[in-house]
Amino acid sequence: MAPPNKGKGGRKAPAKKKPTAADKRITVPCSATALAGYGQLKTPVPTTPFDPKGAWRQSYFIWMTGGTWQCYRGMLTFERTPKENGIVALRVNQRFLADRMRSIHEMSVTILCRADSLGTPLSWQLRSRMFDSKTGKDFANGTVRQTGKAVPEAIEITTNGVKTTHKVAGPWTSNWSLFEAVQRASADPARFTLLEDLDTVKPAHRLHRRGEETLTFAGKEVRATRYDQIGQGCLPRVYYVDGTGRLILTHTALRAYI
């Protein structure tokens, strides 16, 4: 029998590595406190004037909990342009890193929506593609082109030339629309249906105003209003909106936009 701490041939067995904070990230759901503890809220909250009902452009970095690999997952840019007759144009671009495939998933969306409490979409165009992060070449069969529009009590979506219709009764919106609408929120909207990524219908969602909380950004305390979104088919999502109406953080238990 080999002596203690000895491997085959009498060689010393390697010492077990103590788990680091990074190793434990998979056991800790995303929260404002956890993100601050991991040093992810280092950028100060903007102090420039902000009108949530005006024209603006915002950038977020994406961070995910999960194991020892790099938890930075990409970027999101979001642009709002008011139009006539209470219509708003939203332009969304998200680049999400897929390290194991050495690729990037990019989603570009343009949405026309109402400036109501949910930012209800009227029509949209979407392009989704996967491409090699080194060469920039698109993967074969990795591109999706989609258009959609609201019709009476339904949503029509055409994906790569194939049309589908989803019956929807009552208020509905998309996850991207809520990024904008929550910055104008003054009261809890009624129960609504969520069209996740403008593609998948998920019913029975609500947005609850939870009240004021204090977050720490760049070592400074920031007061923000917290909203919780719950509903079928999705992890609960939290939104933090500062005193100017600016969305400074939103996250589920797995993914944060900061």
Side-chain angles (χ1 to χ4, degrees):
M1 178 182 292
N5 296 323
K6 295 282 187 177
K8 291 183 178 180
R11 290 174 295 181
K12 188 175 181 180
K16 288 187 177 180
K17 182 182 176 182
K18 290 185 177 180
T20 65
D23 296 323
K24 298 176 183 178
R25 284 178 180 174
I26 197 168
T27 67
V28 181
C30 280
S31 68
T33 301
L35 290 165
Y38 287 132
Q40 299 304 313
L41 304 185
K42 295 185 293 187
T43 302
V45 171
T47 57
T48 53
F50 179 68
D51 177 9
K53 297 180 181 180
W56 44 256
R57 186 177 187 274
Q58 298 173 336
S59 297
Y60 299 82
F61 75 86
I62 305 168
W63 192 94
M64 288 191 70
T65 187
T68 59
W69 57 83
Q70 175 57 260
C71 291
Y72 169 79
R73 306 314 306 156
M75 288 292 298
L76 171 75
T77 59
F78 203 101
E79 187 172 354
R80 182 186 197 270
T81 304
K83 301 291 185 180
E84 297 179 347
N85 302 319
I87 305 301
V88 173
L90 304 179
R91 294 179 63 87
V92 183
N93 182 271
Q94 178 175 267
R95 286 194 166 195
F96 193 81
L97 305 179
D99 291 345
R100 293 178 181 178
M101 295 176 61
R102 294 182 298 178
S103 65
I104 296 173
H105 177 205
E106 180 181 54
M107 183 182 294
S108 300
V109 189
T110 301
I111 313 172
L112 289 179
C113 58
R114 295 192 183 97
D116 57 19
S117 61
L118 290 173
T120 305
L122 297 171
S123 63
W124 64 90
Q125 296 179 334
L126 179 150
R127 180 175 183 251
S128 174
R129 68 184 184 119
M130 294 285 293
F131 63 94
D132 188 286
S133 58
K134 184 175 182 179
T135 66
K137 289 187 62 175
D138 287 7
F139 289 172
N141 303 316
T143 297
V144 174
R145 295 183 184 275
Q146 182 193 88
T147 60
K149 63 180 180 180
V151 297
E153 298 187 356
I155 305 166
E156 290 184 357
I157 301 173
T158 302
T159 304
N160 289 347
V162 179
K163 180 179 174 181
T164 57
T165 300
H166 301 278
K167 296 290 185 181
V168 178
W172 67 276
T173 191
S174 75
N175 51 314
W176 300 125
S177 304
L178 286 174
F179 267 63
E180 182 273 333
V182 74
Q183 303 186 63
R184 299 180 286 103
S186 57
D188 290 353
R191 186 180 296 268
F192 60 93
T193 296
L194 181 72
L195 185 64
E196 187 176 47
D197 291 338
L198 293 167
D199 184 69
T200 307
V201 176
K202 298 188 174 182
H205 278 250
R206 293 199 70 173
L207 190 68
H208 300 270
R209 181 175 178 144
R210 292 289 299 273
E212 299 289 312
E213 292 191 11
T214 300
L215 283 65
T216 302
F217 278 78
K220 295 183 179 181
E221 292 187 345
V222 178
R223 294 290 291 172
T225 301
R226 173 176 168 172
Y227 297 87
D228 285 6
Q229 179 192 343
I230 58 172
Q232 294 183 22
C234 292
L235 290 173
R237 174 172 290 279
V238 179
Y239 303 84
Y240 288 101
V241 178
D242 72 6
T244 68
R246 183 184 279 113
L247 179 64
I248 56 176
L249 170 66
T250 178
H251 67 82
T252 65
L254 297 179
R255 183 187 299 188
Y257 291 84
I258 306 169

